[in-house]
Amino acid sequence: MNSALSILGQRTKEPPISWLMKTALEHPGIISLAAGFTDNPSLPLQEAREVLAEILSNPQRGQAALQYGSTAGDPELRAATAALIRAADGAAATDARYQPDRLLLTHGSQQFLYLVTEALCDSGDVVLVEDPTYFVYLGIAQSHGLRCRAIQMEPDGIRLKHLETVLDDLKHTGAIKRLKFLYLVSYYQNPTGTTTSLAKKAGALELLRRYEKAAGHPIYLLEDAAYRGLRFAGPEVPSALTAAKTARVIYTSTYSKPFATGIRVGYGLLPPELVAPVLRIKGNHDFGTAHLLQKVLADAVRSGRYARHLAALRIRYAAKAAVMKQALERHFPTGVAWDEPQGGMYFWVRTPKQLRTGPNSKLFKRAVAENVLYVPGVFCHADDPIRKKPDHTLRLSFGSASEADIQTGIERLGRAMA
């Protein structure tokens, strides 16, 4: 008998994150350097307790917070969030690109990515992604039947010459008419830790603009800034919004990573023509993100608790990154390389090409036997027919593991490599 599932339901594969979590559960005592969870001891327990007490101790405020909100989100938090982005970019208060009526609050930035993909893409459409990229977004693309083309990376972001080559190829084949956007994880990228320079963002926008005539429609740049707040070294880099001569930038980030992952509130700034379509789709999803959580964040931002917590969190992650770096230097064999991150939660490790790291590799199985878990880099590469997926990289997270577990986990992984 045929399945009653929709095409999307039949097409959607199990996300790698589910498989990794299952692997961890099947091996009690395993040290996970795979999980992208945040640091547990530094979660803002006291701040959340204080804010909730202040909200719920006032009957009028408490009742309002426990009631439904709007689809677009709490007006105070929308205005405060837009102001935070504008301040980080050094833009004027009157700059139309940062107006709150263009900002949408969502259930994490993951929902925002899903909503934008639904609003812009049909099955068979093309999106451009970094190579490698955030593997959870690759799951959204796969589920929607999108064709991903991978753009090579350099230390300061995508290789613009390769982007132009791919755009030329799409134009030559006619597939440019199905191209909808370029997706960049632009700050302390998950998985590589790379930050995209403003020059690369401006160059990418200019290239996309040049190919819009051939496409016959706008081509957007979707900037995922989920880790922007977690900078602990290096200069602040302005967002692509500052480089846009036209309204082609979609900007998204989240309060989950810089405040509390359990709160799960994300946000995004949209070009004017996309606000209504995305809002309508969100209305069908949930007609509004959890109102109480938005009120908690609005109070945390207004009171200064959010800024103070973020400052402390940056110090915490800088210390944990230093612990992981020292452990890598001590325990990993010669020929294994990595880049030191200036923010975020990840090290991207490159092994000699003969040392495969995929989920079926001897190294992965040996690592699990040593009771340590990592993310195989192959999960982070799109299914691009133009190149074979690399299988000699891996992602390590210092986000949730303790300093002791980081040291022990790296020692175990180094032993597995040896």
Side-chain angles (χ1 to χ4, degrees):
M1 183 178 293
N2 292 331
S3 171
L5 289 173
S6 68
I7 292 174
L8 184 145
Q10 295 178 59
R11 182 171 53 213
T12 301
K13 298 177 182 177
E14 181 184 29
I17 189 68
S18 300
W19 177 78
L20 286 165
M21 291 174 72
K22 180 174 177 287
T23 301
L25 290 171
E26 289 173 347
H27 296 81
I30 199 168
I31 292 176
S32 178
L33 301 179
F37 286 25
T38 48
D39 181 65
N40 217 47
S42 61
L43 288 170
L45 187 63
Q46 182 62 28
E47 293 91 336
R49 183 185 292 117
E50 291 170 357
V51 169
L52 276 169
E54 290 170 8
I55 292 171
L56 299 178
S57 64
N58 182 309
Q60 188 173 358
R61 287 187 67 204
Q63 288 167 0
L66 292 170
Q67 186 54 270
Y68 282 127
S70 67
T71 302
D74 178 68
E76 180 186 359
L77 184 57
R78 290 169 71 199
T81 303
L84 287 173
I85 304 168
R86 186 180 68 239
D89 280 349
T94 55
D95 196 320
R97 289 170 290 191
Y98 304 89
Q99 295 308 303
D101 62 0
R102 289 176 53 177
L103 191 137
L104 175 68
L105 296 171
T106 56
H107 190 71
S109 58
Q110 189 70 11
Q111 187 193 35
F112 185 85
L113 294 173
Y114 198 98
L115 292 171
V116 167
T117 302
E118 277 198 313
L120 288 175
C121 299
D122 294 307
S123 179
D125 280 347
V126 178
V127 296
L128 307 177
V129 299
E130 296 155 307
D131 197 23
T133 189
Y134 177 42
F135 67 85
V136 179
Y137 183 73
L138 292 177
I140 295 177
Q142 184 274 323
S143 181
H144 283 75
L146 307 185
R147 293 177 288 164
C148 291
R149 292 296 304 272
I151 309 300
Q152 296 167 1
M153 295 281 286
E154 295 178 321
D156 65 339
I158 56 170
R159 188 187 301 273
L160 292 178
K161 189 63 180 176
H162 188 237
L163 173 61
E164 186 174 18
T165 298
V166 172
L167 289 168
D168 274 337
D169 180 61
L170 293 172
K171 182 179 178 181
H172 176 73
T173 62
I176 193 75
K177 296 183 183 299
R178 304 296 300 272
L179 174 61
K180 295 302 176 68
F181 56 80
L182 165 65
Y183 173 65
L184 301 181
V185 184
S186 55
Y187 295 91
Y188 322 112
Q189 191 225 34
N190 181 356
T192 66
T194 299
T195 294
T196 303
S197 67
L198 182 59
K200 285 288 180 73
K201 295 173 187 178
L205 281 164
E206 175 59 24
L207 280 171
L208 297 178
R209 185 194 63 78
R210 279 171 38 193
Y211 285 83
E212 280 194 352
K213 185 176 180 181
H217 58 249
I219 305 173
Y220 295 97
L221 190 157
L222 174 50
E223 180 171 22
D224 185 344
Y227 298 90
R228 185 178 189 179
L230 300 183
R231 175 175 63 89
F232 48 72
E236 176 67 69
V237 177
S239 76
L241 291 161
T242 65
K245 296 178 181 178
T246 56
R248 293 290 185 263
V249 175
I250 304 167
Y251 178 94
T252 184
S253 191
T254 181
Y255 285 106
S256 298
K257 295 295 189 297
F259 193 66
T261 40
I263 283 187
R264 300 296 293 135
V265 174
Y267 52 87
L269 276 167
L270 291 158
E273 70 274 13
L274 295 183
V275 174
V278 173
L279 269 175
R280 290 195 293 264
I281 294 171
K282 180 171 170 57
N284 284 337
H285 275 237
D286 58 19
F287 57 87
T289 299
H291 196 211
L292 177 62
L293 301 182
Q294 295 178 60
K295 288 296 187 183
V296 168
L297 283 167
D299 270 34
V301 173
R302 184 179 63 250
S303 66
R305 291 182 177 94
Y306 173 74
R308 290 192 295 271
H309 172 73
L310 185 53
L313 195 61
R314 287 170 168 169
I315 295 171
R316 173 73 172 150
Y317 282 139
K320 295 183 78 173
V323 170
M324 181 167 279
K325 178 191 174 187
Q326 292 165 4
L328 291 170
E329 291 171 343
R330 186 179 305 117
H331 297 296
F332 272 21
T334 303
V336 179
W338 58 87
D339 299 316
E340 186 175 354
Q342 294 188 320
M345 303 190 304
Y346 306 108
F347 276 80
W348 183 245
V349 177
R350 302 176 299 279
T351 66
K353 290 191 176 180
Q354 68 271 20
L355 180 56
R356 295 183 179 179
T357 59
N360 296 315
S361 67
K362 291 181 180 179
L363 175 61
F364 187 84
K365 293 173 183 177
R366 181 63 184 168
V368 172
E370 291 280 359
N371 258 347
V372 63
L373 192 62
Y374 65 83
V375 173
V378 70
F379 289 152
C380 305
H381 293 279
D383 291 323
D384 188 330
I386 304 304
R387 63 98 180 89
K388 184 179 179 181
K389 283 187 181 183
D391 190 16
H392 59 280
T393 55
L394 56 100
R395 191 196 78 178
L396 300 173
S397 173
F398 53 84
S400 63
S402 67
E403 287 90 334
D405 278 352
I406 290 171
Q407 293 171 329
T408 302
I410 295 299
E411 181 181 2
R412 291 174 181 177
L413 187 53
R415 194 158 57 236
M417 288 181 178

